[in-house]
Amino acid sequence: MLDLGRPEPITSHLLERACADSNIRHGFFTRLGGVSEGIYSGLNVGLGSDDQPQHIVENRNRVCHWFKQPPGQLVTSHQIHSTTVVTVEEPFSADRPKADAIVTGTPGLVIGVLTADCGPILFADPQAGVVGAAHAGWRGALDGVAECTIEQMEKLGATRSHILACVGPSISGANYEVGPEFIDRFVELDPGSTAFFTPSERDGHHLFDLQNYTLNRLILAGVTAHGSGHCTYADEEKFFSYRRTTHNKEPDYGRQISAISIVDGG
């Protein structure tokens, strides 16, 4: 196995400061610090990719190790661009459920979402000891996966005004061109959505600011939120990107993980 060092995830200053005394740890992991090779080079954790299974397992174990948790404590779902949220109290024993967000109040679990341009969102209510992770591509963001995650956290005892959220590395507006039928979906739901679309050089096409659209939805939902500002498409060294892979005509792509945990034992 090619060893490319240890993971060094990006963290949110907002979450770090607020969660310092509550044993909540989080990280937006890059592709750096893993053992995968070739087009998956680095920390590919995508169970749905064609990477060598033993490499994916080792990479996922490294994520657990960073959280100071044993292998097997990492919980991820089968993501389908939905608004489905699952509450977990233990690792999945069989097939992963189809869902795009996970919440928990159970110490020791590492919950995460996989992305390769879509927006990962990490949530925490440090006072209630409840955390969440959501996968927000354009469809999930539009349909309300962030709001559904907040509602599920409230069912575990979280208070909306105490919830903090960070939108992690995802494709930026400068690199996300979409067609005319795309913007119509958003404007139909909310005419104000036009603020997140900028005309591109191609007639009828626009550049879509997914990051700030998602951030705005979080703020309107009543939580304190910010964005990391990192673009997955632009930074090939640090991030996997579905759209970059498509433009490069590569056969497959890796996935990075964003994860959060109430660390068992402090």
Side-chain angles (χ1 to χ4, degrees):
M1 283 187 186
L2 177 66
D3 191 332
L4 299 179
R6 296 292 171 179
E8 295 183 7
I10 295 164
T11 56
S12 157
H13 295 304
L14 174 67
L15 292 178
E16 273 193 326
R17 288 195 302 267
C19 298
D21 298 324
S22 55
N23 292 344
I24 295 174
R25 197 176 191 198
H26 76 282
F28 295 96
F29 289 79
T30 69
R31 66 186 295 178
L32 304 178
V35 299
S36 294
E37 302 174 0
I39 59 174
Y40 308 107
S41 177
L43 194 74
N44 172 36
V45 296
L47 295 170
S49 72
D50 292 329
D51 193 5
Q52 296 184 47
Q54 67 270 26
H55 288 174
I56 298 172
V57 170
E58 170 61 19
N59 289 335
R60 291 172 69 92
N61 287 346
R62 289 185 175 205
V63 173
C64 284
H65 180 75
W66 187 86
F67 281 98
K68 300 179 181 178
Q69 299 301 322
Q73 291 299 100
L74 176 59
V75 180
T76 59
S77 63
H78 178 180
Q79 297 170 186
I80 56 171
H81 298 277
S82 69
T83 60
T84 302
V85 186
V86 293
T87 298
V88 297
E89 296 179 351
E90 59 185 8
F92 301 131
S93 58
D95 292 339
R96 294 170 295 139
K98 293 180 179 180
D100 285 86
I102 302 172
V103 300
T104 191
T106 302
L109 293 179
V110 180
I111 60 172
V113 290
L114 280 56
T115 58
D117 279 342
C118 291
I121 314 171
L122 296 181
F123 301 81
D125 178 344
Q127 296 184 43
V130 178
V131 296
H135 161 248
W138 73 262
R139 186 177 298 278
L142 176 64
D143 291 345
V145 69
E147 292 88 341
C148 289
T149 305
I150 294 166
E151 291 171 3
Q152 199 69 17
M153 289 178 68
E154 288 179 315
K155 292 178 181 178
L156 287 181
T159 300
R160 187 171 296 237
S161 61
H162 296 167
I163 294 175
L164 310 170
C166 180
V167 180
S170 47
I171 193 167
S172 67
N175 295 297
Y176 196 4
E177 186 180 52
V178 297
E181 73 290 344
F182 188 97
I183 188 172
D184 291 342
R185 294 189 180 101
F186 284 78
V187 174
E188 183 179 354
L189 178 67
D190 176 13
S193 296
T194 55
F196 302 98
F197 293 88
T198 303
S200 67
E201 294 180 358
R202 287 202 294 168
D203 186 40
H205 288 66
H206 289 76
L207 298 173
F208 175 46
D209 190 348
L210 173 64
Q211 294 182 5
N212 280 312
Y213 175 81
T214 306
L215 181 60
N216 185 62
R217 290 284 294 257
L218 287 164
I219 294 170
L220 290 176
V223 303
T224 300
H226 75 131
S228 77
H230 296 82
C231 178
T232 49
Y233 183 95
D235 194 340
E236 186 170 2
E237 179 182 356
K238 287 186 177 179
F239 304 110
F240 298 109
S241 165
Y242 167 75
R243 179 161 288 215
R244 188 178 61 238
T245 289
T246 302
H247 289 171
N248 291 342
K249 296 181 169 56
E250 295 171 336
D252 197 14
Y253 58 98
R255 285 79 159 172
Q256 52 256 345
I257 189 169
S258 300
I260 191 164
S261 177
I262 306 166
V263 179
D264 195 11

